[in-house]
Amino acid sequence: MSKRNWRFLAFGVAAGILSLLGGIGLSAVTSNDLETNRRLLREIRANNPEYYVRLQRRHELFHALPVAKQEEVRQLDRDLFDKEPQTQAHLFRVLEEYVAWLTRLSESDRQRVLAAPSRQDRLKIIQELRLQQWIDHLPAAQKEELRREPDAKKRLATIDQWRREELAWRQDWSDIRHYTEILKYKGPKLPFRDEKFRADVRVFVDKRLKPMLSPEELNLLQTAADDQNPMTPFRWFRTVFWLSEKHPVLGLEPKYQSLAFLPKDYQSLLAKTPATAMARLKAKENKWPDFPLEVMAVIHRRSEKKDLKEPKEQLGPSHADDFPPNVQNFIRNSLEKALTEPADKEKLSKAQGHWPEYPLALLELARKHNLSIPELMLPREPQEWELFRQIGRPLTTDR
């Protein structure tokens, strides 16, 4: 198989973006109607024959895979397109970078990755290869220092220290590079030195944000807070902003965090869940809102196949009355009054009665109208946080 064709296959297997519509992989088409998809494919064949030929080749490569692998790709495709657009875009970038990295490996290393017996084994191999690649690019003196250290634990400790130092160095240069952008920024700015504001942000972080973070994200937040650097306050606020973007507050009372405590209607619907989906559910137990979000994802996937109806009882707030009085008052007296466009009113109306759609609609519309919903969003107007969106995400320890 040529390198070009192998890359197509790798992308199909690793990324799983082939939506199988009418027998031909086409991720750009998302209709569930077979005749509609066939019509779209005929249009592509007539208007973009080169793209159509590429689709045919990817179709052939896909169907050359074992049946079990084809189903894995289909499931990954479904999982990806169940995500929010922003999450989808991020995951596709990650997948593209992974495929590019996989393609550049030597044949023996690539086969080690592809032949791994499980996801955990594959991840371990990938981490080993990436670590070795990082070591290979070290200066000769550091390589020699590692070579002369007989204790494996000390070698790993030294490598960890060097990687942290490199990250700090990269972060400092990133902050310096953005410093001129901060000075030139003409939009509204946060009152960084105001103690009340800083205290309000800390309350939001401790009460709402931290319970949703992974250990790695908590470490990132703590590192930003502890770093003895003149840019520390700026770095901490920037980290808080991006973590809050990644983890929207979808409810103030995380009640449903395990299978045993779900309402009976949900337990009944999940009773015949396939083993792989049930394993994903159990892996997210005691995590909010990860567990109830996975529950809803499973139910939506099953409802598409079997015409199941979503239970009336929701796993999170789906009306204004489901929130505390201060949030109810803000929704009714500030947010709803700001919705003058019919499209905005319709979006909120359609989301009512559904979780997580309702809180997500609240957050989207509040940002659009520059409003901060108490307890659900960071203090101050969203436009005042916009600086951090413009200068980008902070660096992380992910490699």
Side-chain angles (χ1 to χ4, degrees), residues 193-204:
R193 299 183 182 277
D194 184 271
E195 283 301 321
K196 183 181 184 306
F197 167 67
R198 295 171 73 143
D200 289 342
V201 175
R202 282 194 292 269
V203 169
F204 178 86

Side-chain angles (χ1 to χ4, degrees), residues 24-292:
I24 293 181
L26 180 58
S27 61
V29 183
T30 57
S31 171
N32 289 321
D33 180 68
L34 185 60
E35 189 54 43
T36 298
N37 294 328
R38 286 173 173 164
R39 178 179 57 77
L40 291 171
L41 287 170
R42 288 196 295 270
E43 291 177 2
I44 291 172
R45 185 177 185 176
N47 299 323
N48 195 342
E50 292 183 3
Y51 182 45
Y52 185 80
V53 170
R54 290 201 300 272
L55 288 175
Q56 284 185 310
R57 183 57 183 145
R58 293 182 184 183
H59 163 69
E60 294 168 3
L61 291 170
F62 176 80
H63 282 279
L65 295 172
V67 174
K69 183 61 69 175
Q70 291 182 29
E71 184 52 37
E72 287 183 15
V73 174
R74 287 188 178 99
Q75 185 58 52
L76 182 54
D77 178 75
R78 289 190 288 266
D79 291 344
L80 283 169
F81 282 91
D82 277 345
K83 304 295 183 184
E84 293 294 316
Q86 185 176 357
T87 304
Q88 277 185 31
H90 169 70
L91 291 175
F92 277 117
R93 286 195 300 271
V94 172
L95 290 167
E96 289 169 358
E97 290 174 6
Y98 169 67
V99 173
W101 173 82
L102 193 64
T103 307
R104 291 193 297 268
L105 291 179
S106 66
E107 183 62 26
S108 59
D109 286 340
R110 184 161 56 243
Q111 289 305 319
R112 281 186 66 201
V113 174
L114 296 177
S118 68
R119 294 179 181 178
Q120 292 75 16
D121 292 324
R122 183 175 295 111
L123 180 59
K124 184 177 180 180
I125 292 170
I126 291 171
Q127 290 171 334
E128 290 175 358
L129 291 173
R130 286 180 62 79
L131 177 60
Q132 187 57 53
Q133 288 174 334
W134 184 83
I135 293 173
D136 290 343
H137 286 84
L138 287 174
Q142 288 180 298
K143 291 181 184 177
E144 179 64 17
E145 182 178 340
L146 290 178
R147 188 187 67 80
R148 295 173 62 180
E149 175 54 67
D151 190 308
K153 289 185 178 180
K154 289 184 178 180
R155 281 201 303 274
L156 289 175
T158 300
I159 290 170
D160 183 64
Q161 178 185 343
W162 288 347
R163 294 183 74 174
R164 290 180 181 278
E165 289 173 355
E166 179 192 42
L167 179 65
W169 179 81
R170 289 171 58 210
Q171 183 71 74
D172 287 342
W173 275 107
S174 175
D175 289 342
I176 291 170
R177 187 171 64 253
H178 290 307
Y179 188 66
T180 54
E181 297 177 35
I182 298 170
L183 293 177
K184 291 188 296 184
Y185 182 69
K186 301 300 182 183
K189 297 179 182 178
L190 295 169
F192 293 112
R193 299 183 182 277
D194 184 271
E195 283 301 321
K196 183 181 184 306
F197 167 67
R198 295 171 73 143
D200 289 342
V201 175
R202 282 194 292 269
V203 169
F204 178 86
V205 169
D206 292 339
K207 192 175 180 181
R208 301 298 174 203
L209 188 57
K210 282 185 177 180
M212 296 188 288
L213 302 184
S214 68
E216 293 77 13
E217 290 167 334
L218 286 169
N219 182 64
L220 179 66
L221 186 63
Q222 191 61 48
T223 300
D226 292 344
D227 188 13
Q228 299 301 311
N229 184 295
M231 296 291 286
T232 294
F234 166 81
R235 184 175 299 172
W236 183 74
F237 281 114
R238 183 184 180 191
T239 304
V240 166
F241 170 76
W242 281 109
L243 288 175
S244 68
E245 288 284 294
K246 183 178 178 182
H247 299 281
V249 178
L250 302 178
L252 306 183
E253 297 180 13
K255 296 186 294 183
Y256 303 111
Q257 299 186 61
S258 69
L259 289 163
F261 289 98
L262 285 175
K264 290 183 179 180
D265 288 348
Y266 287 87
Q267 293 186 15
S268 298
L269 286 175
L270 296 173
K272 296 182 180 180
T273 300
T276 53
M278 185 58 71
R280 287 198 300 269
L281 270 175
K282 290 184 176 179
K284 294 185 178 182
E285 284 191 317
N286 301 315
K287 297 178 182 178
W288 170 269
D290 303 47
F291 177 74

Side-chain angles (χ1 to χ4, degrees), residues 300-329:
H300 287 161
R301 285 195 292 269
R302 289 196 61 197
S303 65
E304 289 175 0
K305 296 179 180 179
K306 300 184 178 181
D307 195 28
L308 298 176
K309 290 186 177 180
E310 180 181 313
K312 290 184 178 181
E313 184 175 357
Q314 297 296 296
L315 302 182
S318 59
H319 296 90
D321 290 341
D322 297 334
F323 288 103
N326 61 325
V327 181
Q328 292 181 38
N329 292 336

